[in-house]
Amino acid sequence: MSRGRRIARIKLVTPSPQAAQKHLLDWDNRSLFHNPEKYPALTPENLFQSSSPIVLEIGCGTGEFLISSAAAQPKDYFIGVEISRRAIYHAVNQSEIASLDNIKFIKADIRLLYPLMKPGSWQMIHLNYPDPNYSAGRRKHRIFDNRFLDASHMALTTDGQISVVTDQLTFLQDMLEIAENDQRFGKTHEERYREGFSPAQKTRFQQAWDRYQRTNYYFTLRKNT
């Protein structure tokens, strides 16, 4: 079952005004494209009134992975970016139930947020199970590309990292080819890629793939200084 179909099965529950104010930034993609200057810079100071760099998950879905991380690391700060309203509402509601103060979600296309990123704002960027967009006409919509690496290199701290996970080996190899041709990053492991990504809390999609016994593959990049 595709990512979109799994999200469609989730009940759409609008967050309370209190939960939305605390955890949700609902930004319009058209406005972001035409008038990015109207939006605040994505800095820890603006988002959390803190100077500590943030952990970012792109395509966070219903938020299981990020919420678990925020609960386990209450002194750190977390941002999830997701385009599905149904999924992000679920994540916001779960964050409110968990009484978390260190997590927010942005409903937007991550590529439209690049102009709002500032140097040294991100400690870690997670890209868990991105859409492979295999058809020729949709490959341009893949998130992991040179522009993504440009934005990441600028926004990461000097020791910042990027973690990428997928269950599609060919897709992983496509992303690796881009990464390995960028001298600004190096892998944190000797192997070209690793198998068996197993965090404390798996995403909704990894839980589904695990039931089908599908292997997941991952690599981690570190920003070169």
Side-chain angles (χ1 to χ4, degrees):
M1 183 178 292
S2 70
R3 184 181 193 275
R5 288 178 63 190
R6 288 197 175 276
I7 288 177
R9 298 172 65 181
I10 301 166
K11 185 176 181 181
L12 179 64
V13 179
T14 303
S16 68
Q18 176 185 352
Q21 182 177 16
K22 183 177 180 180
H23 298 292
L24 178 62
L25 298 170
D26 191 348
W27 291 349
D28 179 70
N29 284 334
R30 183 180 295 273
S31 178
L32 279 168
F33 179 79
H34 291 289
N35 304 110
E37 72 281 356
K38 292 184 177 181
Y39 294 85
L42 298 179
T43 65
E45 290 80 7
N46 285 342
L47 295 169
F48 293 103
Q49 294 75 56
S50 170
S51 59
S52 298
I54 299 168
V55 175
L56 169 68
E57 184 182 6
I58 299 171
C60 63
T62 46
E64 292 84 6
F65 172 81
L66 204 65
I67 291 170
S68 173
S69 299
Q73 301 165 249
K75 294 184 179 180
D76 295 330
Y77 297 97
F78 300 83
I79 288 288
V81 176
E82 173 61 50
I83 60 173
S84 166
R85 184 174 300 279
R86 189 179 299 270
I88 210 166
Y89 276 6
H90 181 89
V92 167
N93 288 327
Q94 293 303 306
S95 297
E96 183 68 4
I97 290 170
S99 300
L100 297 175
D101 296 320
N102 59 335
I103 188 169
K104 294 182 186 292
F105 297 91
I106 303 175
K107 183 188 175 299
D109 184 328
I110 184 62
R111 289 163 292 194
L112 298 176
L113 300 180
Y114 292 163
L116 305 179
M117 293 183 176
K118 300 301 177 183
S121 295
W122 308 106
Q123 178 64 42
M124 185 79 183
I125 297 175
H126 291 281
L127 188 57
N128 294 328
Y129 300 93
D131 189 339
N133 287 311
Y134 273 128
S135 64
R138 292 196 56 81
R139 280 178 173 257
K140 63 182 179 181
H141 296 292
R142 289 181 171 181
I143 292 172
F144 196 99
D145 58 11
N146 290 317
R147 188 169 171 241
F148 166 74
L149 291 179
D150 289 343
S152 298
H153 186 267
M154 181 274 297
L156 283 168
T157 59
T158 54
D159 59 345
Q161 297 184 17
I162 302 172
S163 171
V164 181
V165 186
T166 179
D167 64 323
Q168 304 288 326
L169 182 55
T170 300
F171 181 35
L172 184 96
Q173 292 169 334
D174 289 345
M175 292 187 285
L176 270 172
E177 184 175 355
I178 296 171
E180 290 166 345
N181 285 323
D182 193 323
Q183 300 303 309
R184 297 173 299 177
F185 294 93
K187 289 196 286 290
T188 64
H189 41 86
E190 294 182 0
E191 312 95 324
R192 191 175 187 220
Y193 59 85
R194 292 179 167 180
E195 297 183 9
F197 182 72
S198 185
Q201 176 61 57
K202 299 177 181 179
T203 69
R204 176 180 295 261
F205 308 107
Q206 184 172 353
Q207 293 173 42
W209 306 155
D210 283 354
R211 286 195 291 271
Y212 292 105
Q213 298 183 334
R214 289 167 66 166
T215 302
N216 59 70
Y217 309 92
Y218 67 100
F219 63 89
T220 305
L221 305 175
R222 180 184 289 115
K223 177 178 174 177
N224 288 330
T225 57

